[in-house]
Amino acid sequence: MSLLVVGMSHRSAPVSVLERAALVGDEQAKLLQDTLAADPATEAAVLATCNRIELYADVDKFHAGVAELSTLIAQHTGVGLDELTPYLYVHYEDRAVHHLFSVACGLDSMVVGEGQILGQIKDALALGQELHTAGRMLNDLFQQALRVGKRAHSETGIDKAGQSLVTFGLEQLAGGEPVAAWAAGKRALVIGAGSMSSLAATTLARAGVAELVIANRTLERALRLAESLAGQHAGLGADVAVADRAADAAREAAAERRPGLIARAVPRDRVGGELPHADIVVSCTGATGLVLTEDDLRTALTRRAGCPSGGRAATVSLLDLAMPRDIDAAAHRIEGLRLVDIESLAEAAATPDDDSGSSAGALAADVDKVRGIVSAEVSAFGAAQRAAHITPTVVALRTMAADVVASEIARLDGRLPDLDDKQRSEITQTVRRVVDKLLHAPTVRVKELASTPGGAGYADALRELFDLDPQAVAAVSRADTSGSGPAAAAEPNDPKGGRA
C-alpha cells in the first residue's frame, strides 16, 4: 500500500472554483466513507480549509487511485470532473509526505508561516479517527505532520514573519494604517463562532474596538466567546451561566479580556438589526448560501444613513473569510462598503510588498530553514515507515523459529524420557540461544536495509527465503495496527526494547 494525495488549493485553482468546490455540512464525512468503500483505498483523510481541499488515501494502485479519488472529489463537491481535473494536483509516496509536512509548516499557505493550518490538520485527523477511516499510516502521517509544524515554528522565526489570515485581512482593510489605530473605537460585528471567527473576535478585541457583537446560530457558543472577551457578563445572556471554558478559542479569548470592551452575543437571525450599527463586519460560517445578500447590505446602509452618526466610520469594512463566501460579491460595487474576501486576499498575497525588503529577506531565510526541516523529517519518516513494513515479517520469522524449537524439544522428550527438569531446561535454553544468535544479525541487518530507499523488497525476500506463511505475516500486521500485537518488533535480547 502507498500514500496518495489528490487535491487543489489557491495555488492551483482560482478562488471561484475553490468556492464552488467547498465541502459543506457533512460532505467531508461522506467523502471519507465513500473513499474507504472505494476499491483502491484502505485509509482516508480529508483536509478542507478555506483555500484547499485535499484527499489523502492509502492505495494499492496509483493510476486507479488517482482516478477514483478525483472522481470522488468531483462527486462530493458538485463540480464536474472535466472542469475540476485541470486544477487538481497529485502527490505520491514521499512527495505526498513532503507536501503535507510543507502544508503543516505554513509553507503552502496563502499567508506563508500562518499557524492556523495546524489546527485544521488536527481537525482532519480527528475526523478520520472518529469515522475510523484513518488507520496506522495516516495516523502516523498526520501526527508527525503536527510535530513537524510545531518544530518549524519553535526552531525558526517563520511564525513571526507570517500572519494569520484574519490579521492579513484586517491589514488589507486598514489600508496601510496600523490595525490597532484603524480599529480603535469602532463597532465590530463577527458572524460565526468557530475557530476562524473566534480568532477574528480576539484580534479585534486586542486591536481596541469599542463594541463587539458576536452572532452565531448557536447562541450559547457566542455567549461563551463574548463573555470571555469582555470584563463582564455578555449582553443578551447575563442570566445564562456559561461555565464551560474548555474550548481553545475561549481560553485564548480569556487572555484578551478587556474590562472596557462591550461584548454582546445575538442569534444569527438578528444580524440584520446589528448590521447598520457596525463599522467592521467579519464573517466566517459554514453556511451553504449567502449570509449577507446585496439587499441586506443596501438595506443596512439605508438604515445606517438615517441613524445619528455617533462617530461611526464613513465606510463599512467587510471581511469575508468563508468558503463558499458568506457576503455577496456585489458589495465590491456598493458605495460605502469595502469588501475583502478570499479572492482579494489571494491577489494581495501574490503581490510583492515594495516596503518589506528586510522583512522579506528574513522570511526567505526562515523559509529556507523550514524547508531543510521538512526534507530531513520526510527522510526520517520514510525510513521509519519502510522499517516498520518489515517488522511483521521479522516477527513471523521469529515465531516460526520458536515453533521449531518447541517441536524439537518435544521430540527430544520422546527420545530421552529420563531427562530431569534441570537437564531439559538447560537444553531448551541452549537451543533457544543458538537460534537467537543465528537470527540476530540477519534480522537487525534486514531492518537497517529495509529503512533505506528501495528497501521494501527485503521483506519479500525474507518471506521467500524462509517460506513464511503469508497469513501469519498478515496476522502480525493486523495485530500491530490494532495496537494489541506483540512487542516482538524488538530483538529478544535488546535491552532498549527496540523499534522496528
Side-chain angles (χ1 to χ4, degrees), residues 39 314 486:
D39 210 17

Side-chain angles (χ1 to χ4, degrees), residues 38-114:
D39 210 17
T42 59
E43 298 183 36
V46 61
L47 177 59
T49 73
C50 61
N51 51 40
R52 80 176 60 246
I53 300 168
E54 295 177 346
L55 182 56
Y56 292 78
D58 188 10
V59 300
D60 58 359
K61 298 175 183 176
F62 172 74
H63 293 291
V66 171
E68 187 66 35
L69 267 56
S70 301
T71 300
L72 286 166
I73 292 174
Q75 289 175 349
H76 285 270
T77 60
V79 180
L81 183 59
D82 289 343
E83 181 181 359
L84 201 63
T85 299
Y87 305 115
L88 293 175
Y89 46 74
V90 175
H91 298 297
Y92 191 55
E93 296 188 326
D94 283 354
R95 291 302 305 169
V97 176
H98 189 282
H99 175 75
L100 181 59
F101 287 4
S102 297
V103 169
C105 293
L107 293 180
D108 199 55
S109 296
M110 186 181 294
V111 181
V112 174
E114 60 92 9

Side-chain angles (χ1 to χ4, degrees), residues 183-196:
K186 286 185 168 65
R187 297 174 178 174
L189 170 63
V190 175
I191 306 174
S195 58
M196 188 77 81

Side-chain angles (χ1 to χ4, degrees), residues 393-468:
T393 303
V394 171
V395 173
L397 173 61
R398 287 194 167 275
T399 301
M400 184 190 75
D403 290 342
V404 170
V405 170
S407 175
E408 291 302 316
I409 295 299
R411 181 183 299 181
L412 184 64
D413 285 343
R415 292 180 177 179
L416 300 174
D418 296 332
L419 288 175
D420 59 31
D421 289 344
K422 182 178 180 181
Q423 291 171 327
R424 184 180 295 104
S425 175
E426 184 62 36
I427 292 172
T428 300
Q429 291 301 318
T430 299
V431 174
R432 286 176 177 169
R433 282 195 295 270
V434 169
V435 171
D436 284 343
K437 289 181 178 180
L438 286 173
L439 290 181
H440 178 76
T443 53
V444 169
R445 183 60 179 149
V446 79
K447 288 180 182 180
E448 293 173 349
L449 293 170
S451 68
T452 62
Y458 287 101
D460 296 332
L462 206 59
R463 287 192 293 270
E464 187 69 24
L465 285 170
F466 288 91
D467 194 23
L468 297 176

